[in-house]
Amino acid sequence: MTNFLSPTINLSRQCIRTLALTLGLAILVACAEQSFTANPTQEQKIATTEQSVGMDSGRLSLITESMQRLVDQGLLAGAVTMASRDNIVVHHESVGYRDLETGASMEEDTLFRIYSMTKPITGVALMMLYEEGKFNLSDSVEQYIPELQNLRVFVGIDDEGGMITEVADHKMTIRELMTHTGGLTYGIFDESPVDAAYLDSGVGIAAAGGVLKPGETARDFVAKLGQIPLKHQPGTRWEYSVSVDVQGYLVEVLSGQKFSAFLQERLFDPLQMNDTAFHVPTEKLDRFAQMYVYGPEGNLIASELFPEADFTSPPAFEAGGSGLVSTASDYMRFCQMLLNGGELDGMRILAPLTVAMMYQNHTPKGKEIDVFGTPGIGFGLDFAVVNDPVAAETYSRGEYYWAGAAGTWFWIDPVENLAFVGMIQAAGENLPNIRSTSRRLLYQSITEPRGI
């Protein structure tokens, strides 16, 4: 096979909680030995390429038809979807509009807020430093971030409404930080005093949107975080959290570089992820998709998720859990690198065994682990992982994935050797279940399965 690719609306706390819980044609290259008909049409080229990797082009087209139908129904402004198998792009389509108000069409190079799809990128950056011997997964977080020393654990409320705390039974480890089992939270999942303290101090869901007070950095973030008790004893529960924002700062501490500089030099430049960054420069703003939320009548309303969010200038706080903007093509290059065992187009980012370590289930056995209530799902190092495909109603054991609050999603399937990236900019209770739909439509197009 040849190489993969050549070179505003104020939201209520309940609404934000809901959002947090819901989370040109590509270059198609066939095998060198594949022969084409004389002067083939573009459609024939596409069909031949897809057949060479065991896919049905007619069935693949149902992904595009499904996305277009949602646009026609007014449920989405637009979408870009992309899939690869065996290091070859088999699907890359855009439908609808980048901006409904201006009528600007959605294009394949449209830029999207990827929010929590930043997390796997941060995890890969941290594991690059792991390979260099900068830390062990069993090391305590406070060993490298003294602002998080001697954290106590919330256990109850006293007669005056204050928090009762106890000593942690062990120091939070980097493995727990990477698996959302360290006792941190996002401040939105219940009404505990710890959640309230996150929101009051600005280190909760607002920080997830890359929003702190003007000029505050990741170091300011962890300093504030260190003043709040842990919500649970480390290692006892899975709770989605600001853990990956802490990881972004940990990359800075371990590398001696600004987080964005490390990503640019060590990840984005080598992978030719030329449109991935913590802001959209002026010359690219005409490619930046409008964000939408759903109004009371189910209609799409142009609005940022966070009123203070500004993606037009470099942020002081580079949020490792949510801050990046990217394109479907860029994120597919990241996914393909992982699917290839850490390498793309001759550039080695991670060793194959390190990648495999990342998509193993690292959640503690016998503990209360609940990855958003989904059966059959565990958690690796900054990825959700399918442990039981029957219970999870999916296809392959070992599939790993995540999504973003603005509607983006991806998954990587090592069994079927495929990856999928979907990009939209919509969030709220009326968001259609496009993640499940796209998964079903991609797998029903496989004519040569490897997992059975």
Side-chain angles (χ1 to χ4, degrees):
M1 294 287 178
T2 56
N3 284 335
F4 169 64
L5 283 175
S6 59
T8 110
I9 185 169
N10 291 321
L11 301 179
S12 67
R13 183 176 298 180
Q14 179 60 42
C15 182
I16 292 174
R17 183 177 292 115
T18 300
L19 293 177
L21 292 171
T22 61
L23 291 166
L25 290 173
I27 299 172
L28 299 174
V29 189
C31 299
E33 68 273 15
Q34 178 69 57
S35 61
F36 292 96
T37 59
N39 300 315
T41 65
Q42 184 63 36
E43 290 76 12
Q44 288 171 325
K45 289 180 182 178
I46 293 171
T48 303
T49 301
E50 291 163 350
Q51 290 167 5
S52 75
V53 295
M55 308 285 284
D56 184 300
S57 59
R59 284 176 167 255
L60 270 172
S61 68
L62 296 178
I63 299 173
T64 307
E65 293 176 17
S66 174
M67 296 299 149
Q68 182 63 60
R69 188 159 50 249
L70 293 171
V71 171
D72 294 342
Q73 293 169 348
L75 295 173
L76 295 179
V80 178
T81 49
M82 192 170 185
S84 76
R85 195 182 200 201
D86 293 349
N87 225 34
I88 291 177
V89 173
V90 294
H91 168 86
H92 191 188
E93 297 289 341
S94 60
V95 299
Y97 300 93
R98 183 176 68 249
D99 189 317
L100 288 170
E101 287 65 38
T102 66
S105 297
M106 186 68 79
E107 304 291 346
E108 290 168 7
D109 65 351
T110 293
L111 289 153
F112 296 86
R113 304 153 189 78
I114 64 171
Y115 280 105
S116 286
M117 278 169 53
T118 304
K119 289 178 170 70
I121 290 175
T122 301
V124 164
L126 193 55
M127 292 307 287
M128 293 171 75
L129 295 166
Y130 172 83
E131 287 192 336
E132 295 172 6
K134 297 296 177 78
F135 69 94
N136 295 312
L137 291 173
S138 58
D139 288 346
S140 69
V141 175
E142 69 175 46
Q143 179 178 337
Y144 305 98
I145 305 178
E147 291 87 348
L148 299 180
Q149 284 182 343
N150 302 317
L151 293 177
R152 295 181 65 85
V153 182
F154 169 76
V155 292
I157 304 172
D158 62 26
D159 293 339
E160 297 179 354
M163 284 191 276
I164 303 172
T165 63
E166 65 181 11
V167 175
D169 59 20
H170 70 272
K171 300 178 187 300
M172 181 202 312
T173 67
I174 294 177
R175 186 193 305 274
E176 289 165 344
L177 191 71
M178 297 186 76
T179 57
H180 295 285
T181 60
L184 303 174
T185 185
Y186 255 139
I188 57 173
F189 296 113
D190 59 44
E191 302 297 331
S192 81
V194 175
D195 290 272
Y198 269 61
L199 297 180
D200 291 343
S201 65
V203 299
I205 194 67
V211 180
L212 289 176
K213 290 181 180 179
E216 289 188 327
T217 66
R219 185 172 185 176
D220 298 312
F221 168 80
V222 296
K224 288 183 175 182
L225 190 63
Q227 302 304 307
I228 304 172
L230 295 175
K231 190 173 178 181
H232 316 288
Q233 284 286 352
T236 61
R237 287 188 59 181
W238 187 91
E239 182 160 330
Y240 200 38
S241 70
V242 298
S243 292
V244 194
D245 295 310
V246 178
Q247 289 174 54
Y249 181 61
L250 184 57
V251 169
E252 292 191 340
V253 171
L254 294 171
S255 70
Q257 290 182 274
K258 189 176 180 180
F259 186 40
S260 58
F262 182 91
L263 291 179
Q264 193 67 48
E265 176 186 329
R266 300 289 301 278
L267 199 58
F268 299 157
D269 284 347
L271 291 181
Q272 299 178 44
M273 295 172 66
N274 300 322
D275 287 320
T276 304
F278 281 103
H279 78 290
V280 181
T282 302
E283 65 273 16
K284 296 182 181 181
L285 284 174
D286 61 348
R287 293 164 48 201
F288 191 32
Q290 174 63 54
M291 179 67 207
Y292 293 93
V293 298
Y294 293 93
E297 306 300 322
N299 55 311
L300 292 167
I301 300 173
S303 173
E304 291 289 352
L305 278 178
F306 304 92
E308 303 89 351
D310 178 11
F311 292 93
T312 64
S313 59
F317 174 42
E318 297 174 340
S322 61
L324 289 173
V325 173
S326 190
T327 63
S329 295
D330 271 16
Y331 210 88
M332 179 58 81
R333 291 187 67 80
F334 173 72
C335 290
Q336 190 67 53
M337 176 273 294
L338 291 167
L339 187 57
N340 290 353
E343 180 272 338
L344 182 66
D345 293 348
M347 299 301 301
R348 171 67 60 188
I349 303 299
L350 290 174
L353 290 175
T354 304
V355 175
M357 180 190 298
M358 293 188 74
Y359 65 83
Q360 300 303 308
N361 181 25
H362 286 255
T363 51
K365 291 180 173 61
K367 302 294 184 180
E368 186 181 350
I369 303 302
D370 178 12
V371 181
F372 286 141
T374 306
I377 303 297
F379 211 83
L381 302 178
D382 290 320
F383 299 97
V385 180
V386 175
N387 294 326
D388 183 345
V390 174
E393 198 176 338
T394 186
Y395 295 86
S396 298
R397 186 183 304 276
E399 173 195 321
Y400 52 111
Y401 67 92
W402 206 237
T408 58
W409 75 105
F410 81 97
W411 75 88
I412 298 169
D413 184 340
V415 175
E416 297 297 341
N417 200 29
L418 59 80
F420 184 93
V421 175
M423 298 282 195
I424 64 170
Q425 298 284 249
E429 294 184 10
N430 291 315
L431 185 70
N433 193 358
I434 51 176
R435 297 168 190 174
S436 176
T437 299
S438 61
R439 178 179 277 104
R440 184 181 70 253
L441 292 176
L442 181 64
Y443 283 92
Q444 60 85 40
S445 69
I446 295 174
T447 58
E448 297 176 14
R450 284 79 183 268
I452 57 174

